[in-house]
């Protein structure tokens, strides 16, 4: 079980909750903070003094006073009115991450929500009640209001959700139609919550949708980075390139951590290759940048991932509500921690790094398929002409690499006023996170195509053998994708290798401690 205390949730633990179905629970300290925070809200509500989020309207309606007998209705109306999301729903793992993150924020004790409401959210997550949360509708202003409102609807027995039960959840968006929120809760043996003062706002005010999507994209991107190093090593050997540009002394002279790590991986993977030994003294002075500069480019992408991980990790344990409750002083203070600028910038940076990883991969694939560069049959198939080989697989890689360039255009530099001008600078963080998630998926396919091409090239170089780690990768790929002898549709092969990348099987097959 992952314990939520508002300060120690890691991105890796979040990924286990999201993808593996690991349950969560509140720490005793979190329970105490939530209880103390709620007492402050109840005192202020009883006093009748206007306090934003408790007895006033919201956003541009903050100056409208709400009578005491309508405070619960105010919170329900808030949730209903803000559930304005559109488009395809977030995948189930992202929804689970969203739920865990929101519970973790509430565990900090700055939101003023009742303990039983937080416990209801935790119970939903552990019982596999997964709300249908549309991916679009947030500008990252007062946080991700629309996505979180769709989550909150199910908490009160409305909206729509799937009930998958405890254990490993589906990987994507379920194909079956969701249930009504109340029915999904009932199937899990849970009851809806009747909201009280400030609780609707406590459920929907924050950046957790952005952070959920970003955090899972970071984990997938880091896994892809290791696979990209393996792909680059396969291609370097298949193109009879040199391993000397990966020597540690070169990279110690420019000690960018990501670059040093990528170079170490490439160097280790290429040692002991008979292919490499066969062209010793060939007279070639330098390899193309796509080979020689792989550590520099892969390393820059890794630095982007590290930046995104740091910001996502901070945000996972940050109080992003408004107004914030400070139980030690008994104060309720309005601020702007809900603004998504930090995570929006992190998501955009991640997308830029992924574009770098994919574009250099596509260049290596192109060299593998070009006979005067590779010294191998055109498009890596015998009887070229009768067979087109991997020609169109490369075209797909080029198409995806080009699309990645458009996704790398930052969303967080944009802003558009909302809420009658009250929210006059917004972050577009959710759009940035959605782009980053899409970028990971496209880059995985680009690298998968390189792996397929490089393994095919190694087959054509037989009986010369590559290094032991790379040969192990080639064998793992061949368990799922046979050597191409005559033309067949490449799409199933690409999907199979993407699956190997996503599961980590490509990196594990090296039997090396990749960094």
């Amino acid at each position: 079980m992952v314990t939520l205390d508002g300060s120690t949730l890691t991105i890796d633990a979040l990924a286990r909750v999201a993808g593996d179905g690991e349950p969560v629970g509140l720490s005793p300290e979190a329970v105490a903070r939530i209880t103390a925070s709620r007492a402050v809200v109840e005192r202020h509500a009883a006093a009748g003094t206007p306090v934003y989020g408790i007895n006033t309207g919201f956003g541009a309606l903050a100056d409208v006073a709400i009578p005491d007998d309508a405070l619960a209705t105010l919170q329900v109306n808030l949730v209903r009115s803000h559930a304005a999301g559109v488009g395809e729903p977030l995948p189930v793992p992202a929804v689970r991450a969203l739920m865990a993150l929101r519970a973790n924020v509430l565990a900090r004790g700055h939101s003023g929500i009742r303990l039983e409401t937080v416990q209801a959210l935790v119970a939903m997550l552990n019982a596999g009640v997964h709300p249908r949360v549309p991916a679009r509708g947030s500008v990252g202003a007062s946080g991700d209001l629309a996505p979180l409102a769709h989550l909150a609807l199910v908490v009160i027995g409305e909206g729509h959700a799937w009930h998958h039960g405890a254990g490993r959840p589906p990987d994507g968006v379920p194909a079956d139609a969701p249930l009504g929120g109340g029915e999904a809760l009932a199937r899990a043996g849970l009851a809806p919550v009747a909201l009280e003062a400030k609780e609707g706002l406590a459920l929907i005010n924050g950046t957790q949708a952005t952070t959920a999507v970003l955090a899972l994209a970071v984990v997938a991107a880091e896994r892809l980075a290791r696979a990209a190093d393996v792909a680059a090593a396969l291609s370097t050997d298949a193109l009879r390139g040199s391993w000397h540009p990966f020597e540690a002394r070169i990279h110690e002279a420019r000690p960018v951590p990501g670059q040093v790590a990528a170079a170490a991986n490439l160097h280790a993977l290429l040692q002991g290759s008979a292919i490499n030994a066969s062209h010793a003294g060939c007279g070639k002075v330098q390899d193309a940048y796509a080979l020689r500069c792989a550590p520099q480019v892969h390393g820059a992408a890794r630095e982007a991932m590290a930046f995104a991980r740091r910001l996502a990790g901070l945000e996972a344990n940050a109080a992003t509500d408004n107004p914030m409750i400070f139980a030690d002083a008994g104060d309720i203070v309005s601020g702007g921690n809900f603004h998504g600028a930090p995570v929006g910038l992190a998501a955009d940076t991640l997308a830029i790094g992924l574009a770098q990883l994919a574009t250099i991969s596509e260049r290596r694939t192109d060299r593998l398929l070009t006979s005067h560069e590779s010294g191998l049959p055109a498009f890596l198939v015998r009887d070229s002409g009768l067979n087109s080989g991997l020609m169109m697989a490369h075209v797909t890689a080029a198409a995806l690499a080009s699309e990645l360039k458009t996704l790398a255009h930052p969303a967080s530099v944009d802003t558009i006023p909302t809420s009658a001008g009250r929210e006059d600078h917004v972050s577009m963080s959710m759009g940035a996170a959605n782009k980053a998630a899409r970028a990971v998926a496209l880059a995985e396919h680009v690298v998968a195509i390189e792996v397929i091409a490089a393994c095919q090239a190694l087959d054509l170089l037989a009986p010369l053998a590559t290094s032991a780690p790379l040969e192990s990768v080639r064998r793992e790929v061949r368990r799922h994708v046979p050597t191409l002898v005559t033309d067949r549709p490449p799409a199933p092969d690409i999907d199979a290798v993407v699956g190997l990348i996503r599961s980590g099987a490509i990196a594990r097959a090296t039997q090396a401690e990749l960094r």
Side-chain angles (χ1 to χ4, degrees):
M1 176 178 288
V2 172
T3 299
L4 303 180
D5 60 10
S7 60
T8 62
L9 179 62
T10 67
I11 297 302
D12 296 320
L14 181 66
R16 296 197 306 273
V17 173
D20 298 336
E22 191 162 331
V24 304
L26 297 171
S27 72
E29 296 79 9
V31 169
R33 286 193 298 269
I34 293 168
T35 302
S37 174
R38 182 62 193 176
V40 175
V41 169
E42 291 177 351
R43 285 199 301 271
H44 279 264
T49 305
V51 180
Y52 179 76
I54 294 178
N55 52 17
T56 72
F58 304 101
L61 301 175
D63 297 328
V64 178
I66 308 298
D68 290 349
D69 61 359
L71 296 187
T73 301
L74 172 69
Q75 299 301 314
V76 173
N77 285 348
L78 173 70
V79 170
R80 288 172 177 165
S81 67
H82 283 57
V86 299
E88 71 279 6
L90 292 175
V92 169
V95 173
R96 289 183 60 82
L98 163 61
M99 297 170 75
L101 286 168
R102 193 62 207 164
N104 195 53
V105 167
L106 298 173
R108 286 190 65 94
H110 291 298
S111 300
I113 197 167
R114 289 178 301 150
L115 176 60
E116 49 263 49
T117 305
V118 185
Q119 290 171 329
L121 176 59
V122 168
M124 279 175 52
L125 176 59
N126 289 340
V129 176
H130 302 133
R132 185 189 187 280
V133 179
R136 289 174 174 78
S138 171
V139 295
S142 288
D144 299 315
L145 294 170
L148 283 163
H150 284 274
L151 164 62
L153 275 179
V154 179
V155 174
I156 65 174
E158 300 181 14
H160 295 88
W162 291 273
H163 177 227
H164 296 119
R168 183 179 290 272
D171 290 335
V173 176
D176 54 314
L179 306 167
E183 183 180 352
L185 290 174
R187 290 195 182 185
L190 303 175
V193 171
L195 298 179
E196 296 185 8
K198 195 178 182 292
E199 291 198 294
L201 189 59
L203 285 170
I204 74 170
N205 208 190
T207 61
Q208 286 66 55
T210 294
T211 307
V213 174
L214 172 61
L216 298 186
V218 167
V219 172
E222 291 170 341
R223 189 164 50 237
L224 175 62
R226 291 186 287 274
D229 288 350
V230 176
L234 288 165
S235 295
T236 298
D237 214 25
L239 288 164
R240 283 157 283 191
S242 174
W243 56 263
H244 289 291
F246 312 137
E247 289 185 26
R249 56 184 173 177
I250 294 175
H251 305 282
E252 288 167 358
R254 189 198 200 185
V256 177
Q259 177 180 325
V260 171
N265 287 344
L266 286 159
H267 187 273
L269 291 170
L270 286 163
Q271 298 310 299
S273 167
I275 295 173
N276 186 269
S278 73
H279 58 82
C282 65
K284 185 189 290 187
V285 177
Q286 289 182 330
D287 293 321
Y289 284 8
L291 306 183
R292 184 170 23 128
C293 298
Q296 288 78 6
V297 177
H298 289 204
R302 283 168 172 260
E303 291 300 310
M305 295 170 197
F307 174 72
R309 171 178 274 270
R310 184 173 71 85
L311 268 294
L314 288 170
E315 197 76 349
N317 295 287
T320 56
D321 209 335
N322 182 59
M324 292 178 64
I325 316 301
F326 294 93
D328 54 350
D331 293 338
I332 300 179
V333 185
S334 288
N337 276 0
F338 49 63
H339 198 287
V343 279
L345 182 60
D348 280 333
T349 303
L350 179 61
I352 291 169
L354 288 161
Q356 293 288 315
L357 207 62
T359 52
I360 196 169
S361 173
E362 180 275 328
R363 287 293 79 205
R364 290 190 294 264
T365 298
D366 178 74
R367 299 186 79 82
L368 286 164
L369 270 63
T370 304
S371 56
H372 72 266
E373 298 284 0
S374 67
L376 297 169
F379 304 110
L380 296 177
V381 67
R382 302 193 190 280
D383 296 324
S384 301
L386 176 62
N387 292 294
S388 295
L390 296 176
M391 178 191 296
M392 286 307 298
H394 170 248
V395 171
T396 297
L400 300 183
S402 187
E403 185 176 348
L404 268 158
K405 296 171 191 175
T406 67
L407 293 175
H409 180 84
S412 58
V413 298
D414 189 20
T415 183
I416 186 168
T418 59
S419 193
R422 181 67 62 95
E423 299 168 356
D424 59 347
H425 186 282
V426 303
S427 72
M428 298 300 178
S429 60
M430 189 65 189
N434 284 331
K435 285 196 311 90
R438 177 66 178 155
V440 174
L442 296 184
E444 287 169 337
H445 283 76
V446 175
V447 173
I449 291 168
E450 181 186 1
V451 169
I452 291 169
C455 288
Q456 180 73 11
L458 292 176
D459 288 347
L460 292 170
L461 287 170
L464 287 173
T466 187
S467 67
L470 296 180
E471 174 58 20
S472 180
V473 173
R474 190 195 67 80
R475 286 197 301 269
E476 176 64 19
V477 171
R478 287 290 167 255
R479 290 180 56 239
H480 305 270
V481 178
T483 301
L484 184 64
V485 178
T486 59
D487 282 345
R488 64 173 184 264
D493 296 345
I494 297 169
D495 288 342
V497 178
V498 168
L500 296 177
I501 291 172
R502 289 177 177 169
S503 70
I506 290 290
R508 286 196 304 272
T510 65
Q511 300 177 9
E513 293 294 329
L514 297 182
R515 297 168 61 177

